[in-house]
Amino acid sequence: MTDPVTTPEPANHQKIDTSVPHSARIWNYWLGGKDNYPVDEEAGDAYTAVFPGIVTIARSSRAFLRRNITYLVSDAGIRQFLDIGTGLPTAQNTHEVAQQLAPETRIVYVDNDPMVLAHARALLYSTHEGATAYIDANVTAPDRILAAAAETLDFGRPTALILSNILGHVPDYDQARSIVTRLMSALPSGSYLSINDGSRGIDPVFEQAQDAYNSSGAVPYNLRTVDEITTFFDGLDLIAPGVVSVTQWRPEPGSPTGKVVAEHGGLARKA
């Protein structure tokens, strides 16, 4: 039994532009979702024609996030999540995974895409014991995010910050690092940072496809080197095996070791 515990902030009647492909909708298409338009399917198909492996990356990224959340709840005892750059609702969202393991978990989602806002109610169902809320904000406004999230989360308690495939949308690397630092500075000792992003220097075909996508008029997504992704965790204690290809981060027992894909991530604890 679930109840919506809050409502999204007004989207100011933002219009959804269905004439230009959008990364969140394309990602949803690759994950097998239905919240996309023909223009997104065309862009997604054009991308996969150049680099079919993007579907594997998308689904491996989702599986990585699920394993991160499972570790955080079951092993680390985390009961609060701040998930920035939520994207469109798909199977096994953060609150679904976390609250299945610990019904009292509280989750705040953050995104600023009008289509995501239109679907926000699908994210806003929580167990009676826990809570789920949604904030309309951009990752580049960390202070606003923190102020709004504090209405649902207790920042005196350890919290997991989730930044899944969002920092690539911040073109300036120093700004991206500054955002991570600011957000983590507001969280207490015992909190965690989970990041995964597309990586450069691993697969030249992927890089060619992404560079072509970025020049298509869609909102660009910037690949970063593994070293750059690793630096986001500076000052924190990385959980083994560190920053690795998402297929190789704590694979489930008995599952085959996945091949390296150009999507790297890690999980780290704030001492």
Side-chain angles (χ1 to χ4, degrees), residues 186-211:
L187 306 184
S189 174
S191 294
Y192 285 80
L193 171 64
S194 171
I195 292 176
N196 62 286
D197 264 308
S199 45
R200 187 173 290 277
I202 305 298
D203 190 331
V205 180
F206 176 38
E207 294 169 21
Q208 177 186 356
Q210 187 61 43
D211 291 344

Side-chain angles (χ1 to χ4, degrees), residues 120-142:
R121 288 189 181 278
L123 289 172
L124 289 175
Y125 282 80
S126 171
T127 58
H128 289 298
E129 302 94 328
T132 306
Y134 191 93
I135 298 170
D136 175 11
N138 193 296
V139 67
T140 57

Side-chain angles (χ1 to χ4, degrees), residues 32-202:
K34 303 298 182 184
D35 296 316
N36 46 74
Y37 293 99
V39 67
D40 305 305
E41 295 182 16
E42 291 169 9
D45 289 343
Y47 198 118
T48 56
V50 176
F51 180 60
I54 189 61
V55 175
T56 298
I57 286 178
R59 295 179 182 182
S60 297
S61 170
R62 196 68 175 179
F64 164 86
L65 180 59
R66 175 176 49 77
R67 296 195 303 274
N68 262 219
I69 295 166
T70 299
Y71 172 88
L72 287 164
V73 175
S74 298
D75 293 8
I78 294 296
R79 297 294 183 267
Q80 298 192 130
F81 289 82
L82 177 56
D83 185 341
I84 302 177
T86 307
L88 290 162
T90 55
Q92 296 186 314
N93 292 293
T94 298
H95 76 285
E96 293 171 326
V97 176
Q99 290 185 341
Q100 184 176 23
L101 296 167
E104 70 275 20
T105 304
R106 305 175 73 84
I107 299 95
V108 171
Y109 289 109
V110 182
D111 210 301
N112 72 329
D113 181 86
M115 188 168 182
V116 174
L117 291 172
H119 287 79
R121 288 189 181 278
L123 289 172
L124 289 175
Y125 282 80
S126 171
T127 58
H128 289 298
E129 302 94 328
T132 306
Y134 191 93
I135 298 170
D136 175 11
N138 193 296
V139 67
T140 57
D143 288 332
R144 181 169 182 268
I145 290 171
L146 292 167
E151 297 179 11
T152 301
L153 305 178
D154 176 2
F155 286 144
R157 298 173 53 206
T159 302
L161 171 63
I162 307 292
L163 296 169
S164 180
N165 287 294
I166 184 63
L167 294 175
H169 288 299
V170 181
D172 184 85
Y173 179 62
D174 289 337
Q175 182 185 15
R177 288 193 63 187
S178 175
I179 289 168
V180 174
T181 299
R182 174 66 189 102
L183 291 167
M184 288 304 297
S185 71
L187 306 184
S189 174
S191 294
Y192 285 80
L193 171 64
S194 171
I195 292 176
N196 62 286
D197 264 308
S199 45
R200 187 173 290 277
I202 305 298

